[in-house]
Structure formats: structure tokens, C-alpha cells
Amino acid sequence: MEMKVWNKQISGANCRLLWLGILAIIAAVGDPTSATAEGAPARDSLRLDLKKAAVSLFTSNASHCEAFAKVVEAAIPKADDAGTLLEDLKLVLVGEDWLRRAGKRGKFYMGIKTTDSGFKEELKDGSPQVEHAMAAIYLAKADIPGGIGAKGTFFEFVEAAKNGTKPDAADIRLWMYGEDLGDRLATKNMKQFPTALRKTLCE
């Protein structure tokens, strides 16, 4: 499949790179509350501590959805606001590089490929759903309400057309559910966020 963009043709093989690049730009400029990857020494130390906690939680929990919720619980006391919380979680669970290239994820990335274990059956597709959910939650704060869910759904249809398959229903739902979680997250309700995450995503 080919898409015409700016009067040039981009092959289906490059659609994913284009889409993830757009998401990276949105995330970089859209949320004025988010911190940078390289923060103050104290912030760096907190993120390294969170990384250690994440490694322990993901290696000791059969359910990666539950491990995700527990990492969020561990991150909340370290963050003063929702923007910092999301940045800390993104750097630990996804890394600095949205394209997830080896060696480019940064020093805070936990280095564990997540699974869909513990997620609701309707959200399982055999892929790293923790990273996918984290991206949807994070990017929801950078886009207009409903924007990331719509863009994510469009991307899934493009991928399906390119591969000659049906759209990934689990991923479409995860874009929507993650967007809803991100839209509802605020500094005043951070402590309730792990409960909302479990109810929305975990079995």
C-alpha cells in the first residue's frame, strides 16, 4: 500500500516510521508540563530507582498488567504532578526513543520486553501491550481530546491494509482505553490512577 504525503509517495514499509515519528513530535511539543529526559540530578536518581523497581516488578509478576499498575504506584510518590509522573513512566517503560531502537532507549529504560499477560482478553494480541498502553496514555495528554484514539485507529487500518490482514481489534481498543485513562489523569487524582488502570486494562 502507498500513501501520498506532501506530494511524495511513501511505501507501506515506511508508514510505521512516519506514524511513530509524528507521535514523537506530538509528545515532544504538545505537553508543556512534561519534563525532559535529562532532568536535575535528583530527578535522574528517582528515575533510576524507579527503573530498578520496574525490573523487579516485571520479573516477579506473571501478570504484566498488574506489574504495570504496581510501577505506577511506585512512581506516584516520586512525582509532584501528572506531567512528571507520565514522563517518568514513559522513560522507564518505553524509553526515550518512540521507535524502540536498540541502544537508543536511554539510561532509564528498564530493558524488559513486556507482554500482554494479565490484560483483559479483548486487549490481548501477543504484543508488548504495556508499552502500547503507556504510549496511548502519555500521548493523550499531548493531543486534543479524542485525537490519539482516532489516529491510533487510522494507523491500525493502514497497517492492516498494508499487510492484507484485518485491523488489530485489541490494539484499537487499547488506543481508546489508554486515551481515556490519559485524558482523565490529573495531578489531583494521581493516587487513584493505578486503580483506574487496573479496572480499565487488567483482567
Side-chain angles (χ1 to χ4, degrees):
M1 177 180 180
E2 294 185 339
M3 297 174 61
K4 290 186 177 180
V5 181
W6 301 311
N7 295 321
K8 293 183 179 180
Q9 295 207 328
I10 298 177
S11 67
N14 291 321
C15 286
R16 180 180 292 273
L17 293 178
L18 171 65
W19 168 242
L20 291 175
I22 291 171
L23 293 186
I25 293 170
I26 292 172
V29 303
D31 184 3
T33 67
S34 66
T36 58
E38 291 296 329
R43 187 86 244 142
D44 285 2
S45 178
L46 290 172
R47 286 170 176 166
L48 289 173
D49 287 345
L50 184 61
K51 172 184 176 179
K52 292 178 182 178
V55 170
S56 175
L57 288 166
F58 274 95
T59 53
S60 62
N61 278 275
S63 167
H64 275 194
C65 193
E66 177 60 23
F68 183 16
K70 288 183 176 179
V71 171
V72 174
E73 288 175 335
I76 289 171
K78 306 175 187 296
D80 294 328
D81 54 67
T84 302
L85 173 66
L86 288 177
E87 191 68 20
D88 291 349
L89 290 169
K90 181 255 182 183
L91 290 171
V92 170
L93 298 175
V94 180
E96 294 178 24
D97 183 22
W98 286 105
L99 300 181
R100 300 184 293 186
R101 292 169 292 189
K104 296 184 179 293
R105 297 225 205 177
K107 64 183 180 182
F108 305 116
Y109 173 56
M110 66 176 179
I112 295 175
K113 183 177 180 180
T114 66
T115 70
D116 61 4
S117 62
F119 279 79
K120 291 181 177 179
E121 194 63 33
E122 63 189 7
L123 299 176
K124 291 183 177 181
D125 65 356
S127 65
Q129 296 297 62
V130 172
E131 295 177 37
H132 187 164
M134 187 65 242
I137 292 166
Y138 181 99
L139 291 169
K141 295 309 247 188
D143 206 350
I144 61 173
I148 285 302
K151 292 182 177 73
T153 298
F154 172 75
F155 172 69
E156 297 300 335
F157 275 89
V158 169
E159 283 288 284
K162 180 189 72 175
N163 298 323
T165 59
K166 293 182 179 180
D168 189 329
D171 278 352
I172 290 174
R173 291 189 185 98
L174 196 53
W175 280 115
M176 298 296 186
Y177 294 176
E179 177 184 60
D180 180 60
L181 285 167
D183 283 343
R184 289 188 285 134
L185 174 64
T187 301
K188 65 182 179 181
N189 64 19
M190 289 194 303
K191 291 183 179 179
Q192 288 74 50
F193 189 59
T195 298
L197 189 151
R198 287 186 175 100
K199 288 182 177 179
T200 304
L201 303 180
C202 301
E203 60 186 6

